Amino acid sequence: MNIKGRVLAMVSTCVVIFSQSSIATFALDNQEVLTLPTSVSDLTSAENMGQVVKIHNLHGADEGTIAFCAEMESGYVIYDLSGNTIEYSPTSSSPYSDLQGDLYYAGPLEYLTKTSTDYKNLRTGEILTDEQFNEVTESFTNESIKLSSTNFMSSSASRANSGFRTAVSKVSGTPRKLNYNTSNQCGALAAVINLCYIDDYKDNNCLSDSYSNNPRSLFNTLNNYIPRETSRNGIINGLSNAKKDKICSFTSSPDAYYGGDSWGFCFYRILTSNSPTILLIIKHPNYGGKNDKNHWVLTYGIVQCFDNNNKLVDKYFIVNDGYGKNDIRIHYTYQDDCVYI
């Protein structure tokens, strides 16, 4: 058996054990009985997402199931074979809504279907070959195994956790929903959404009216400053040069945080300055390029999960996903650098 086969076999064993001991059941009128792992049900109940409407099996490169997407009465939740919630939203519709046939997943914000020969990104239309998708599937599966070994919410201690609750902290404004990223230009788009937020809620001199009223024009301009598949330094230098050329105006200099706890830093920014942060989501494939498996988003809120002893047991970022949606909540382990203004 190859490495990928051994990894998937390990996860399959875990899910059998997990599913037998930790299941929440939802019975819908005149429909089949649908079940969620109790750790996932705890979260959806705390977030008032209602009952399960539909559950999709999400496949990996070998066509085996690697995750599930539960469409709820309000929102959706994607969780892996061990019951770890990878991403969810209590308000946004499922990325797989109204789709039939085999559906695929490759980590946070990465939703695919299959053409006759390759895999197609539902957001950007980009195509992955079998080899590319095999690589990201194995990466996601390994991440799930690592998460299961440390995540409280997938442990037996959480399964009778009737006092589970969530606490949400967000900036006071709402980021703009811009869906311009089709060619790995996520860094420039996250910067645009951040600049628009500053202009809308903090300093209306940040952008000229022509850019504020036409953010696509701002996006096209910033693409000359911030390269595709960019790093934190690419965003910092691009914003600094754009400010120097009077494309935008802000008081503080762009900077980066890369100390390993971007969740804590983003939380601090929300509490102290009511400001969003440009965040690098890892294990997300940008196909090709030196920053493979990364994606820049704007995070503007955080979620804290507490057990019935008021102990913090899990955490999520609330992000604008860079594909036209707000209020997507991503597990805190899928983090790396962040850039702030």
Side-chain angles (χ1 to χ4, degrees), residues 74-199:
S74 178
Y76 74 93
V77 56
I78 295 177
Y79 55 97
D80 67 14
L81 298 182
S82 297
N84 303 303
T85 296
I86 306 302
E87 64 174 279
Y88 75 101
S89 175
T91 57
S92 292
S93 61
S94 162
Y96 300 100
S97 291
D98 303 320
L99 293 179
Q100 303 295 325
D102 290 336
L103 304 172
Y104 299 83
Y105 188 61
L109 308 178
E110 192 61 20
Y111 326 116
L112 303 98
T113 57
K114 194 172 185 180
T115 67
S116 57
T117 57
D118 297 308
Y119 300 89
K120 183 178 181 180
N121 184 306
L122 291 174
R123 290 286 185 261
T124 67
E126 290 180 287
I127 299 297
L128 269 74
T129 64
D130 282 336
E131 182 179 359
Q132 289 171 316
F133 189 57
N134 181 73
E135 179 186 350
V136 296
T137 296
E138 187 166 329
S139 176
F140 171 73
T141 304
N142 287 331
E143 187 70 14
S144 292
I145 292 173
K146 184 167 62 177
L147 182 58
S148 293
S149 68
T150 58
N151 188 19
F152 176 92
M153 286 305 297
S154 65
S155 71
S156 59
S158 72
R159 293 170 193 166
N161 190 13
S162 59
F164 180 77
R165 65 180 179 86
T166 59
V168 173
S169 300
K170 294 193 290 186
V171 297
S172 58
T174 303
R176 297 197 197 185
K177 300 177 182 179
L178 306 179
N179 188 16
Y180 307 152
N181 177 32
T182 58
S183 302
N184 296 335
Q185 298 161 304
C186 55
L189 184 56
V192 167
I193 298 170
N194 196 11
L195 290 171
C196 286
Y197 183 90
I198 294 172
D199 191 69

Side-chain angles (χ1 to χ4, degrees), residues 6-291:
R6 290 197 299 270
V7 167
L8 293 178
M10 290 171 62
V11 175
S12 297
T13 301
C14 291
V15 73
V16 170
I17 296 171
F18 181 86
S19 61
Q20 289 175 347
S21 60
S22 183
I23 290 292
T25 301
F26 294 79
L28 305 184
D29 293 342
N30 301 317
Q31 295 187 36
E32 63 181 321
V33 173
L34 302 176
T35 59
L36 291 177
T38 301
S39 57
V40 179
S41 179
D42 284 344
L43 181 61
T44 59
S45 295
E47 295 281 34
N48 298 312
M49 295 169 68
Q51 292 188 321
V52 184
V53 176
K54 187 174 186 179
I55 297 179
H56 299 281
N57 282 33
L58 306 181
H59 300 285
D62 69 346
E63 302 301 324
T65 298
I66 63 171
F68 303 93
C69 177
E71 296 184 7
M72 309 298 294
E73 289 178 316
S74 178
Y76 74 93
V77 56
I78 295 177
Y79 55 97
D80 67 14
L81 298 182
S82 297
N84 303 303
T85 296
I86 306 302
E87 64 174 279
Y88 75 101
S89 175
T91 57
S92 292
S93 61
S94 162
Y96 300 100
S97 291
D98 303 320
L99 293 179
Q100 303 295 325
D102 290 336
L103 304 172
Y104 299 83
Y105 188 61
L109 308 178
E110 192 61 20
Y111 326 116
L112 303 98
T113 57
K114 194 172 185 180
T115 67
S116 57
T117 57
D118 297 308
Y119 300 89
K120 183 178 181 180
N121 184 306
L122 291 174
R123 290 286 185 261
T124 67
E126 290 180 287
I127 299 297
L128 269 74
T129 64
D130 282 336
E131 182 179 359
Q132 289 171 316
F133 189 57
N134 181 73
E135 179 186 350
V136 296
T137 296
E138 187 166 329
S139 176
F140 171 73
T141 304
N142 287 331
E143 187 70 14
S144 292
I145 292 173
K146 184 167 62 177
L147 182 58
S148 293
S149 68
T150 58
N151 188 19
F152 176 92
M153 286 305 297
S154 65
S155 71
S156 59
S158 72
R159 293 170 193 166
N161 190 13
S162 59
F164 180 77
R165 65 180 179 86
T166 59
V168 173
S169 300
K170 294 193 290 186
V171 297
S172 58
T174 303
R176 297 197 197 185
K177 300 177 182 179
L178 306 179
N179 188 16
Y180 307 152
N181 177 32
T182 58
S183 302
N184 296 335
Q185 298 161 304
C186 55
L189 184 56
V192 167
I193 298 170
N194 196 11
L195 290 171
C196 286
Y197 183 90
I198 294 172
D199 191 69
D200 290 342
Y201 298 105
K202 297 178 75 69
D203 180 3
N204 60 10
N205 293 316
C206 177
L207 299 173
S208 66
D209 288 345
S210 60
Y211 280 142
S212 182
N213 296 331
N214 185 4
R216 184 179 283 276
S217 176
L218 177 61
F219 176 64
N220 292 338
T221 300
L222 273 193
N223 276 313
N224 296 318
Y225 291 85
I226 299 175
R228 295 178 180 178
E229 302 165 359
T230 189
S231 65
R232 63 176 183 264
N233 289 331
I235 296 177
I236 291 171
N237 293 335
L239 284 170
S240 298
N241 290 330
K243 178 182 179 181
K244 188 183 305 181
D245 291 345
K246 303 188 184 305
I247 304 302
C248 49
S249 175
F250 38 81
T251 55
S252 58
S253 299
D255 205 347
Y257 177 84
Y258 42 95
D261 183 18
S262 290
W263 185 93
F265 181 79
C266 293
F267 190 17
Y268 172 80
R269 292 261 300 160
I270 292 166
L271 295 179
T272 60
S273 62
N274 188 36
S275 297
T277 307
I278 300 171
L279 175 71
L280 189 61
I281 298 295
I282 60 173
K283 307 299 181 185
H284 178 293
N286 268 338
Y287 316 132
K290 61 184 178 181
N291 295 303

